[in-house]
Amino acid sequence: MRVKFRSVAITFLLLLGGMVIALPWVAYWSILAGIQGRPTAPAKTMTQAEINAIWLTEEPDLPMAQLDDITPYWIYDLLLCGVYSGRCDEDGLKHQMSLMAVRVSRRYLSHEGFGNRRVSMLKWHTGNVSLTIWLQRNKSPAELISLYYGR
């Protein structure tokens, strides 16, 4: 009987661990699937000096080289931040998310992302987080700046 309980417990823990590992990615892709299209950057070339100057102004806490370091696992940090409120500043949680990407995501979702249909607050916020992560992982700093300023 003890061996059977142990194998059931191990199986349960493995399944739970697999869900913890897979859930952020499954949620990320399924939420993105509900968003129509993706923001596209206007074709405008900027010099590296312009990009650096704008980046320092708009993203003072996020190094340009770390723009695409974010993954859907970031949501676990966000949830832990809510539970342990003092942890946010220590880990620099807010410094992992691009302010420009958040604003581009909000603007896109407001006008096009959900096809001008009303959505629940949960869908709005999870869509905003997912699209923000997608922007950071798929757009270069120059493209993100172009999207942000519309140029």
Side-chain angles (χ1 to χ4, degrees):
M1 191 63 128
R2 183 170 257 249
V3 173
K4 192 173 192 174
F5 175 76
R6 182 176 286 163
S7 63
V8 169
I10 290 172
T11 303
F12 174 76
L13 290 174
L14 287 173
L15 287 172
L16 182 64
M19 286 176 44
V20 167
I21 291 170
L23 183 64
W25 285 100
V26 170
Y28 170 74
W29 285 111
S30 64
I31 291 165
L32 282 177
I35 298 172
Q36 297 178 357
R38 299 290 178 271
T40 54
K44 169 120 171 59
T45 56
M46 290 182 275
T47 66
Q48 191 61 43
E50 289 175 316
I51 293 168
N52 291 341
I54 292 171
W55 194 268
L56 287 174
T57 302
E58 298 296 337
E59 300 285 357
D61 296 321
L62 179 67
M64 198 181 309
Q66 293 179 3
L67 177 65
D68 62 352
D69 286 353
I70 196 165
T71 69
Y73 293 119
W74 179 84
I75 197 69
Y76 288 142
D77 289 337
L78 181 65
L79 293 174
L80 287 174
C81 174
V83 174
Y84 304 107
S85 60
R87 189 171 172 270
C88 296
D89 293 334
E90 294 169 13
D91 290 349
L93 177 65
K94 64 182 179 181
H95 305 301
Q96 297 171 2
M97 185 69 72
S98 163
L99 298 175
M100 287 190 290
V102 169
R103 292 176 184 138
V104 168
S105 174
R106 286 181 183 162
R107 186 172 51 225
Y108 183 79
L109 292 175
S110 294
H111 297 107
E112 302 171 46
F114 292 118
N116 294 324
R117 54 182 207 274
R118 295 183 60 87
V119 295
S120 69
M121 289 298 282
L122 178 63
K123 188 168 186 173
W124 169 261
H125 289 291
T126 56
N128 187 41
V129 169
S130 294
L131 186 57
T132 299
I133 291 171
W134 183 87
L135 285 164
Q136 284 188 234
R137 293 176 58 82
N138 292 282
K139 298 295 181 186
S140 69
E143 291 172 318
L144 189 56
I145 290 168
S146 292
L147 283 165
Y148 182 70
Y149 284 107
R151 56 175 164 160

